[in-house]
Amino acid sequence: MLTNWGVAAAGLVAAIGLSVGQPPPSIPSIPVIPEPTGPVQPPSSSDPGAAPDGIEFPTRTQLQLKVERDGLLTVEETITVRSGEKLNRRSPLRIRSGDRDRIFVVRDPKLEGNGSAQATADEFTVSVGQGKSVLRYQVEGAVIDLGDRQEVRWQLAAGWDARLGLLRATFIAPEIPISVRCNGGPYGSEQPCNRARTDNGGITRVSMSDLAAGDRVDLAIGLPAGTVPANARFAEPEKLAGAFALTPFSGFGLLGLTVLLLGGLVLLWVARGRDAKVLATDVGPVDVLVHDQNGVAFASPDGVLPGQIGTVTDERVDPVDVTATVLDLAVRNYLWIQEINGNDWQIMRRNPADDSLTAYERAVYDAVPEAGAVVSTLSVDLSRIKEAMYTDVVAREWFKRRPDQERTRWMAVGIGLAFIGAGLTAVLALTVGNALLGLAVVIAGVALALGARLMPARTKRGSVLLAQVRSLRGYLQSATPSSIPENDRELVFSRSLPYAVVLGESPRWLEAFGSSAELYWFSGGRNLPGFIAAMDRAVAK
């Protein structure tokens, strides 16, 4: 073994002397300068990149690699940068090898000259300015056992951000190499180096010219089995797992977002609990039938109209709210409904609109032309009716803000936040990591979009009305013709019908009172279910 080391050392001394005397390989677009027979004088301090005769050499690097007996790879790299240029290297220390990642560790990098070097668990970075700089470091993980032989592998160049005109390297080990493989050029290419061979003295010499920014030079040296202790380490590919690893930074971010989400859920629970509390405690039973000496009459809770009930109940304006309003206007003698041809109906104005109509009722009334309209051809401007209805329920303080805009706004914010979070997740995963923060933003956005549908827009007064509507629904589900005096039955049925329609109780209500006499506001038949369905279709189209 000592003999081999002696031969190798003697060969190294001879190689250094020979290398000085050998002309460099030709470099595209750079003139070949014959080197002097004696030692090359160092460049002057005033122009570090200049050759002795005033012609500048290209930016270049010279490496000396030695495998120590403990398996560490010692590297000394002399980097010469042309005047006015800079050179930066960012090379990964986790490199894919088959279906696993091979992990290299760079120990104690030191740079003498114009620049700096540092190594982390994942990356080796070097920054050098013009002139000559000497970089020294050790590599752990370069030696691997491969059956009857060992292999030493290291990337002589990787991740440089500017062109390298020339790379030269020498390699020695305790035993003479048995194979040499060197590839250069872009990642993934199999282009061989310009020169890669071992001389009789056991010294491996490598050269590669004209490396573009980002190119790599990958050197793999085969040694006899057992030459040095193997130290290669492997790990499962990180893929995106590393980007989504829980770090202190991402942990604090997740904690903050979790607190915000929990706070939002508490506020939503408290706000939605207001409706349940009102239903349970603040409002007692409401009697919608008014009894006096003249008989029985229907009176809605707080004088609320059918369309208003529909909007307060489900917080949106639906076609059924318009249909119920048409029926209510007919019951109150503003409109007249007549069946024609057995399967269609005509709506006509019976009395002019007056100041007792609300703005949304006026919009429904105006949808009926002065000459009347057939339901199947009726055209309803639902947008105008919605605008008037939402304005009405806010003015009556059942809602603090328009419920359609409130939920739409928060849903849009949630969807936008989710898209921002998705983009942030991708950027973080591909750059600095901590992608869990972006994923948390996605979850927050989705939660906000879904929660927007549950956000209570009603005020306390609106919740009280909702409780009163429950009593109205109970009346519609339990009232029978026998409970109402015969003289008042038609009026009570007619006044209650629009509320039954808007609350979804019309089938039961029509079945209970279907045998009543001809209605004063509906002529030519008793097919009210057909009219209600046709009206809903006309409004929805």
Side-chain angles (χ1 to χ4, degrees):
M1 182 68 72
L2 292 175
T3 303
N4 290 335
W5 269 108
V7 172
L12 175 61
V13 172
I16 294 174
L18 290 172
S19 65
V20 174
Q22 292 177 347
S26 129
I27 302 170
S29 75
I30 301 293
V32 178
I33 309 296
E35 297 192 12
T37 56
V40 177
Q41 297 297 321
S44 66
S45 59
S46 61
D47 190 2
D53 56 1
I55 300 177
E56 272 194 307
F57 290 133
T59 294
R60 59 200 182 277
T61 180
Q62 171 77 41
L63 298 94
Q64 296 177 1
L65 299 94
K66 176 183 178 183
V67 178
E68 307 291 347
R69 292 189 177 278
D70 59 2
L72 288 178
L73 177 65
T74 299
V75 182
E76 179 177 306
E77 182 172 3
T78 302
I79 307 168
T80 305
V81 181
R82 288 164 59 99
S83 59
E85 294 183 358
K86 293 188 298 184
L87 200 59
N88 300 289
R89 171 177 179 171
R90 295 186 63 179
S91 53
L93 296 178
R94 190 180 183 113
I95 301 174
R96 179 62 55 85
S97 177
D99 59 352
R100 295 183 297 172
D101 286 351
R102 185 167 177 177
I103 299 176
F104 296 87
V105 177
V106 172
R107 291 185 177 180
D108 196 26
K110 294 180 180 178
L111 189 140
E112 297 176 1
N114 183 16
S116 62
Q118 61 179 353
T120 65
D122 299 316
E123 191 176 53
F124 183 32
T125 59
V126 181
S127 179
V128 289
Q130 67 181 20
K132 181 182 292 186
S133 301
V134 179
L135 173 64
R136 298 181 179 90
Y137 57 91
Q138 289 184 316
V139 181
E140 180 181 350
V143 182
I144 184 174
D145 285 329
L146 297 175
D148 61 349
R149 62 189 179 92
Q150 290 184 320
E151 183 182 80
V152 182
R153 183 180 179 187
W154 180 239
Q155 290 190 339
L156 307 181
W160 289 111
D161 66 351
R163 176 180 173 272
L164 275 176
L166 178 64
L167 179 146
R168 285 179 174 173
T170 59
F171 174 93
I172 61 174
E175 297 287 347
I176 296 177
I178 58 178
S179 65
V180 179
R181 187 181 78 253
C182 183
N183 297 105
Y187 277 92
S189 69
E190 299 297 329
Q191 177 185 349
C193 297
N194 299 138
R195 177 186 182 188
R197 66 174 181 266
T198 303
D199 61 20
N200 294 332
I203 299 177
T204 301
R205 305 179 190 280
V206 174
S207 65
M208 187 70 182
S209 60
D210 199 24
L211 289 167
D215 283 359
R216 98 310 185 197
V217 175
D218 194 351
L219 178 65
I221 305 290
L223 296 176
T227 299
V228 294
N231 53 19
R233 292 195 297 117
F234 293 87
E236 292 300 319
E238 284 189 343
K239 298 181 181 178
L240 291 179
F244 289 92
L246 183 63
T247 64
F249 183 75
S250 63
F252 280 115
L254 286 175
L255 180 62
L257 285 171
T258 300
V259 170
L260 288 177
L261 282 175
L262 290 177
L265 288 174
V266 170
L267 289 176
L268 181 60
W269 177 78
V270 170
R272 287 188 65 81
R274 179 186 60 208
D275 287 348
K277 181 179 178 182
V278 168
L279 286 172
T281 61
D282 291 3
V283 179
V286 177
D287 191 358
V288 297
L289 292 180
V290 178
H291 299 263
D292 58 22
Q293 58 187 7
N294 296 322
V296 178
F298 172 85
S300 64
D302 199 24
V304 65
L305 298 168
Q308 294 169 338
I309 282 183
T311 305
V312 172
T313 300
D314 60 15
E315 301 176 0
R316 62 177 182 270
V317 179
D318 299 314
V320 69
D321 300 334
V322 179
T323 299
T325 300
V326 169
L327 288 171
D328 190 51
L329 291 175
V331 170
R332 290 156 56 194
N333 286 321
Y334 288 99
L335 297 176
W336 167 262
I337 302 171
Q338 182 174 358
E339 187 176 11
I340 57 175
N341 301 328
N343 59 1
D344 208 347
W345 294 263
Q346 185 175 27
I347 306 175
M348 301 185 67
R349 296 181 181 182
R350 194 170 193 175
N351 288 300
D354 53 33
D355 293 340
S356 63
L357 295 183
T358 64
Y360 88 87
E361 287 179 312
R362 183 62 183 260
V364 174
Y365 180 89
D366 290 343
V368 179
E370 291 187 7
V374 176
V375 171
S376 59
T377 61
L378 183 64
S379 177
V380 178
D381 184 2
L382 191 57
S383 61
R384 179 190 170 194
I385 297 172
K386 284 184 176 181
E387 186 71 24
M389 176 66 80
Y390 287 131
T391 302
D392 181 80
V393 295
V394 172
R396 293 175 187 271
E397 299 182 354
W398 291 322
F399 294 93
K400 198 168 186 178
R401 288 174 291 274
R402 286 182 50 159
D404 61 326
Q405 295 178 352
E406 183 82 354
R407 280 163 175 72
T408 300
R409 180 171 64 251
W410 284 110
M411 186 174 292
V413 170
I415 293 173
L417 190 62
F419 275 105
I420 291 173
L424 181 62
T425 300
V427 171
L428 291 175
L430 297 174
T431 55
V432 299
N434 293 309
L436 281 178
L437 288 177
L439 190 59
V441 174
V442 173
I443 295 173
V446 172
L448 183 59
L450 295 177
R453 302 179 61 184
L454 302 175
M455 287 182 180
R458 282 183 293 268
T459 62
K460 185 174 181 179
R461 182 175 178 180
S463 298
V464 170
L465 177 60
L466 190 66
Q468 294 172 336
V469 169
R470 186 180 66 165
S471 294
L472 174 59
R473 190 188 297 273
Y475 152 74
L476 293 171
Q477 292 172 344
S478 61
T480 60
S482 61
S483 63
I484 302 171
E486 185 175 354
N487 293 337
D488 302 320
R489 197 169 295 164
E490 180 185 5
L491 185 58
V492 170
F493 164 76
S494 298
R495 291 300 306 273
S496 303
L497 179 60
Y499 296 89
V501 170
V502 83
L503 292 175
E505 301 293 338
S506 60
R508 186 264 165 195
W509 191 251
L510 290 171
E511 181 181 357
F513 290 84
S515 59
S516 299
E518 188 75 18
L519 300 173
Y520 65 90
W521 51 271
F522 189 92
S523 176
R526 294 303 307 275
N527 187 12
L528 280 169
F531 170 76
I532 293 170
M535 191 67 203
D536 284 345
R537 289 193 299 270
V539 176
K541 69 182 180 181

